[in-house]
Amino acid sequence: MSRTTVKKSVTMRRSIAEQIEERVGAGGFSRFIDAAAEHWLTILAAREAAAEQEGRTGA
């Protein structure tokens, strides 16, 4: 996996941003979002694999 970074702008609820910053500080915000996105992508891939397997073998 590439460690090259890209700057993006995201829009989120203020309450979520505040909760993140309370836990990791402003300096850890990007790392938190990066880790959360990576985690969510892993979950999505697992769901897709399970659905594909279920499609082949049934429920």
Side-chain angles (χ1 to χ4, degrees):
M1 182 181 306
S2 174
R3 295 290 180 193
T4 303
T5 62
V6 60
K7 186 170 181 74
K8 293 289 185 180
S9 173
V10 298
T11 303
M12 67 177 56
R13 290 173 285 170
R14 181 182 310 272
S15 62
I16 298 296
E18 289 171 350
Q19 288 179 62
I20 294 168
E21 286 185 342
E22 285 173 8
R23 286 168 173 76
V24 300
F29 193 87
S30 290
R31 284 187 303 277
F32 182 93
I33 297 302
D34 184 74
E38 184 176 39
H39 181 76
W40 185 243
L41 288 169
T42 300
I43 290 169
L44 290 174
R47 287 180 178 178
E48 291 165 356
E52 186 177 304
Q53 179 68 20
E54 188 174 296
R56 284 195 304 267
T57 61

